[in-house]
Amino acid sequence: IPFQEPKPATLEQWDMGVPERRIDTLDVAWTWKGRWKEEHYWDGSGVSARKTTNEVGSEATLSFTGSAISLVGSYSQEGGRADVYLDGEKTGKIDAYIVERTNDNDLWHAYGLKPGKHTLRIVPRGDADSRSRGHKLAIESAITFAPRK
């Protein structure tokens, strides 16, 4: 192995910006198509509503303004998958399965968006991790961010 001088790694940083708005599932910014069930839960400061589905053909669409977004939801042992579209382009997927005795709630996020209006669309796929006992997708809210000034 030839000798090599060490080189410092490039520092990678990202900044979501400043949290601007929490958009719960009952907000008019959301549009729900197909079969979504409304469930109420305690979020630590009060009762909130989440929307859940197991149905292919269901869709959730959110119109928002910002430069970043985080989709908040519930992972579970019954979690399924969904495709995510941002401004009409497929940008990723959600896999809502999680192993037992673990926790997470950031289903999907994007940052570095051009500040302004955007549309997020979530389309359940009907498949899941091989360990999952279902195809459930549960959305609790979205958090939008503005650039730091």
Side-chain angles (χ1 to χ4, degrees), residues 3 5 11 13 15 37 75 81 89 108 138 143 149:
F3 178 79
E5 289 292 325
L11 177 61
Q13 293 183 322
D15 183 0
K37 180 180 173 186
Y75 285 84
R81 293 182 176 143
E89 293 187 32
W108 177 87
I143 302 170
K149 294 181 182 179

Side-chain angles (χ1 to χ4, degrees), residues 76-126:
S76 72
Q77 287 76 52
E78 294 81 32
R81 293 182 176 143
D83 290 322
V84 180
Y85 297 82
L86 183 62
D87 298 331
E89 293 187 32
K90 187 174 177 182
T91 59
K93 71 176 185 174
I94 295 169
D95 187 344
Y97 171 77
I98 196 166
V99 296
E100 291 184 69
R101 295 184 300 279
T102 58
N103 185 42
D104 196 355
N105 66 355
D106 180 33
L107 292 175
W108 177 87
H109 61 266
Y111 57 93
L113 305 177
K114 181 178 178 182
K117 294 183 179 185
H118 300 279
T119 303
L120 177 67
R121 187 167 62 105
I122 299 111
V123 182
R125 294 179 6 178

Side-chain angles (χ1 to χ4, degrees), residues 13-19 67-68 110-113 145-149:
Q13 293 183 322
W14 59 272
D15 183 0
M16 294 285 281
V18 179
S67 59
Y111 57 93
L113 305 177
F145 298 79
R148 293 192 191 278
K149 294 181 182 179

